[in-house]
Amino acid sequence: MDYEKIFKEIYVDLAKIEDTGQVSNYIPELSKVDPNSFGVQLTTIHGEKYAYGDSNVRFSIQSIAKVFSYVLAYSRIKSDLWHRVGVEPSGTAFNSLVQLENDLGIPRNPFINAGAIVICDILVSELDSPKEDMLTFVRELSGVDSINFNKRVAESERMNGFRNFALVNFMKSFGNILNDIDEVMDLYFHICSIEMSCEELSKSFLFLANNGVVPYSNNRILSPSRTKRANALMQTCGFYDEAGQFTFKVGLPGKSGIGGGIVAVHPEKYCITVWSPRLNPKGNSYKGMLFLEEFTTHTKLSIF
Ligand code: GLU
C-alpha cells in the first residue's frame, strides 16, 4: 500500500475542515509550539517506514510517556502491581480527583495521572537511578541516544502542578504512595517532559505490535501475555474519557498526550504516530483523531 500517498490525501482532505482545537496551555512552555505543526509516521514490524510532514520534529510527548513508565515497572517488578492500581477505564478527566476518594486512593488505571504517579512511586522504590533508567529504557526502545527530558518543561510542570500534587498527597493519605512525595513527583514531571518525534515514537512502540520483542534488536521487553495486557489497557484507557470514541472511530490500541501526539498500534503489523498540537475539549489531538479515523477507514487496517 502506498501509505505516503494516503497520508497526503487525508492531510489535504482534513485541511478543508476548520481545526477547532486549542493548543494546551496547562503549562506556559507547551503553548509555545507552532499550532499548525503536523507530522505522521508509520513503521511496520518488518522495518518499512512511511512519513509525512513534520515527522522528524520533536515535541513534548506528555502522557504518551505513561506507557513507557508502566511497561518499565511491569517488566521489572516481581510483586503484583494490581493491588496498587486498577485496569478499568476511568470515564473521568485525566487529572480527576473525584474517583480517588471512593476508590480509597487506588487509581482506576496506570494511564490517568494518579495511576502514573503510583507507577512513578513503584519505579522510585525499584530503581537505583529512576530518571536515568527511564531515559536509558526509552533510548533502548527507540535506538536513539539523544532522546532527553526538557528541563524547562519539567520545571514548569512542577511550578504549576498543583492538581498533581493534590493527587499524590491524597493517595499518600490512603497509604498508596510509599516514597517521598517530591522525589516521586520529580520523576513524574520529568517523564512528562520527554521530547520525541513521530518517527522515534513509532519505532519505540513497535515491540507492542511484535509480541513484546523490539523487532530490530530482538530484545524482549514483555512476555506475549503482558504485551496483550499492555495493548488492552491502551485500548480501554489510553484516551482519557474519550477511550470509547477512539475505539469506535479508529479501532486501535493507543495513547495520546496533551502535547498533541497520538501513538496507535496494530498488533502483528505496525505502529503509527501522528502529531497535531491543537486539542479537542477532552485533551486529545483534534486533527490527530480525525486523521487516524480516516486512515483506518481508508486502509481497513483497524483491529476490528
Ligand atoms: N503533564 C500533564 C499532567 O501531568 C500530562 C497530561 C497529559 O498529557 O495527559 O497533567
Side-chain angles (χ1 to χ4, degrees):
M1 217 176 301
D2 189 347
Y3 291 117
E4 287 180 354
K5 184 163 167 272
I6 296 171
F7 290 162
K8 187 166 181 202
E9 281 167 7
I10 300 175
Y11 180 79
V12 169
D13 252 15
L14 291 184
K16 297 173 197 146
I17 300 173
E18 188 200 349
D19 193 336
T20 56
Q22 299 289 327
V23 170
S24 173
N25 57 3
Y26 148 82
I27 51 169
E29 279 300 319
L30 286 185
S31 56
K32 293 180 184 159
V33 71
D34 174 0
N36 298 320
S37 310
F38 181 87
V40 58
Q41 171 100 23
L42 182 148
T43 311
T44 71
I45 58 169
H46 304 299
E48 291 116 353
K49 301 197 294 187
Y50 306 90
Y52 184 76
D54 303 319
S55 59
N56 284 314
V57 178
R58 285 187 178 159
F59 59 92
S60 195
I61 71 169
Q62 292 289 321
S63 275
I64 295 172
K66 291 179 167 105
V67 179
F68 294 136
S69 47
Y70 157 74
V71 170
L72 184 59
Y74 202 31
S75 63
R76 294 282 175 94
I77 67 164
K78 306 283 174 282
S79 58
D80 187 9
L81 193 76
W82 306 119
H83 64 281
R84 305 267 317 263
V85 60
V87 295
E88 295 297 337
S90 67
T92 56
F94 59 97
N95 54 8
S96 168
L97 275 153
V98 287
Q99 257 167 6
L100 268 182
E101 179 153 38
N102 274 341
D103 295 348
L104 305 177
I106 311 288
R108 286 280 165 106
N109 67 68
F111 296 154
I112 49 174
N113 287 11
I117 291 169
V118 169
I119 295 288
C120 284
D121 186 55
I122 291 170
L123 291 175
V124 168
S125 299
E126 293 286 327
L127 304 174
D128 292 336
S129 322
K131 282 194 282 186
E132 287 68 29
D133 293 349
M134 188 70 214
L135 270 187
T136 305
F137 182 58
V138 176
R139 287 171 180 167
E140 268 169 24
L141 287 179
S142 61
V144 182
D145 280 345
S146 60
I147 288 171
N148 219 327
F149 304 124
N150 179 325
K151 295 276 174 198
R152 284 194 321 280
V153 171
E155 181 55 16
S156 189
E157 297 265 358
R158 194 179 64 77
M159 298 289 289
N160 297 281
F162 306 110
R163 199 172 259 265
N164 286 322
F165 278 113
L167 289 169
V168 74
N169 276 288
F170 202 46
M171 292 191 289
K172 186 131 183 131
S173 77
F174 282 104
N176 199 16
I177 295 291
L178 309 182
N179 295 284
D180 174 65
I181 280 179
D182 288 328
E183 204 182 336
V184 174
M185 294 315 286
D186 185 50
L187 177 61
Y188 176 79
F189 293 138
H190 275 83
I191 289 174
C192 289
S193 82
I194 294 174
E195 292 183 333
M196 292 172 78
S197 66
C198 292
E199 180 179 9
E200 291 161 348
L201 274 168
S202 69
K203 204 173 161 198
S204 309
F205 271 66
L206 265 189
F207 73 98
L208 291 171
N210 195 42
N211 276 308
V213 175
V214 179
Y216 56 90
S217 66
N218 268 332
N219 196 5
R220 176 165 290 288
I221 306 297
L222 290 177
S223 67
S225 124
R226 289 186 168 208
T227 308
K228 176 189 77 176
R229 291 178 171 187
N231 284 327
L233 271 179
M234 289 201 296
Q235 187 76 64
T236 51
C237 310
F239 293 84
Y240 317 122
D241 44 341
E242 217 173 29
Q245 281 285 340
F246 190 81
T247 296
F248 188 65
K249 292 184 167 162
V250 179
L252 293 173
K255 184 75 199 84
S256 63
I258 56 169
I262 300 179
V263 182
V265 171
H266 193 311
E268 316 279 323
K269 288 195 166 59
Y270 68 85
C271 175
I272 187 167
T273 304
V274 60
W275 172 51
S276 172
R278 292 186 217 254
L279 309 177
N280 69 18
K282 301 281 188 186
N284 293 310
S285 169
Y286 180 79
K287 287 233 165 155
M289 295 267 283
L290 289 177
F291 188 93
L292 291 173
E293 180 182 0
E294 286 286 301
F295 177 75
T296 55
T297 307
H298 209 83
T299 57
K300 302 187 182 64
L301 279 173
S302 96
I303 63 166
F304 297 109

